[in-house]
Amino acid sequence: MQLTTRFLEAVALAEDRSSSPLTFMWPMPGHAGGQLLSLSAFEDWRAFVLDLGLRRGVPDIVAAKFARGQKLLLLAWIDFDLFMAGELIALTALELALKDRYGGGEIERRRKIVAEKAKKGKREVTKEERSWADKTPFADLLKYIVEQDSLTDAKVPMLQRCGGGTVVGFLTGKCRPSLADRRNGLAHGDPFGMSGAGSYCAGLFELVRDLIDYAYRDLGFAPDFCTRIRL
């Protein structure tokens, strides 16, 4: 994504917040749960949003989707409701990244489960079991990054920056609303339910960035990425 000077200047001119600062919660050092921030200059908001960018090389398609989320965050300077739209787009980028990095492993894990079940029952794997085994739900991919790729709270940069806190339970589903709950709520119109989708989630965008970075932390991406992912 190219953030042109023209685009940035247009956003800055569209809303003057010198007398009505943009106030929001965000994880800060010593306050992993969130601290109230207040910004009255677009330059400060721009610096905040751009600092949330990906810090590792990732496939172009993932980077492009994530950057669209950042663009919506910049526009939230004008209307903060757009912040939630940016969160949803970032979550789609995360799901795409997880499918690429862990989709094959998750399918293999599921196929082993149904094969063992069929073996114990001395029967063939059913059509329904094959269908289940070939799916990679977002919630299970989030569990995979923890249970199979060794992600811990200590490895999450946002928590390192804040000096504590926890997110792993929200990835595995042990804590609610989970990250998958929040994505589903944003995507399927749950404004007041347990997903918490009725408002933005402090730190979610930064966490998504950290998870994508973690997934691609120590390997390059294949040039045929676009042909291997089925959206």
Side-chain angles (χ1 to χ4, degrees):
M1 174 190 66
Q2 294 296 323
L3 287 173
T4 65
T5 300
R6 181 180 179 184
F7 172 79
L8 294 171
E9 289 179 347
V11 178
L13 292 172
E15 185 70 22
D16 179 6
R17 290 191 174 273
S18 57
S19 59
S20 57
L22 182 60
T23 302
F24 60 102
M25 295 288 291
W26 204 257
M28 298 298 291
H31 300 276
Q35 185 177 29
L36 199 62
L37 301 181
S38 184
L39 303 178
S40 58
F42 177 71
E43 291 76 12
D44 295 331
W45 177 246
R46 178 180 61 187
F48 171 80
V49 172
L50 296 184
D51 190 55
L52 296 174
L54 296 169
R55 296 178 178 177
R56 296 185 185 275
V58 304
D60 288 346
I61 190 172
V62 176
K65 285 180 178 291
F66 187 84
R68 290 190 190 107
Q70 277 186 283
K71 200 168 189 178
L72 284 165
L73 259 58
L74 284 166
L75 289 170
W77 180 254
I78 302 171
D79 185 339
F80 200 72
D81 279 349
L82 291 170
F83 199 101
M84 287 184 288
E87 289 178 326
L88 177 57
I89 297 302
L91 286 165
T92 65
L94 173 59
E95 183 168 13
L96 186 61
L98 297 182
K99 282 183 178 180
D100 174 48
R101 287 290 294 115
Y102 308 119
E106 174 61 14
I107 288 174
E108 182 178 356
R109 184 189 72 83
R110 286 171 160 242
R111 286 177 177 174
K112 286 180 179 179
I113 291 173
V114 298
E116 290 175 2
K117 184 178 179 181
K119 183 178 181 180
K120 288 181 180 179
K122 297 181 180 181
R123 58 173 177 78
E124 295 293 323
V125 175
T126 67
K127 181 179 179 181
E128 291 74 17
E129 287 173 331
R130 289 195 187 94
S131 177
W132 176 85
D134 287 339
K135 294 177 180 178
T136 55
F138 185 50
D140 287 349
L141 292 172
L142 289 170
K143 289 180 184 178
Y144 196 98
I145 196 173
V146 174
E147 298 173 355
Q148 306 297 325
D149 199 23
S150 306
L151 177 67
T152 64
D153 286 327
K155 297 177 182 179
V156 177
M158 181 178 72
L159 299 183
Q160 295 172 1
R161 178 178 66 79
C162 295
T166 182
V167 298
V168 164
F170 295 101
L171 303 182
T172 62
K174 291 181 180 179
C175 299
R176 298 288 181 170
S178 68
L179 193 58
D181 290 333
R182 290 189 179 277
R183 191 288 303 269
N184 292 340
L186 285 168
H188 303 299
D190 174 22
F192 306 113
M194 69 172 293
S195 71
S199 63
Y200 77 102
C201 178
L204 186 149
F205 201 96
E206 184 174 355
L207 173 60
V208 168
R209 186 273 310 277
D210 289 345
L211 294 177
I212 294 175
D213 281 348
Y214 184 85
Y216 290 103
R217 68 193 180 281
D218 56 10
L219 78 160
F221 53 90
D224 64 339
F225 173 81
C226 292
T227 64
R228 291 188 292 109
I229 292 294
R230 292 180 298 171
L231 298 178

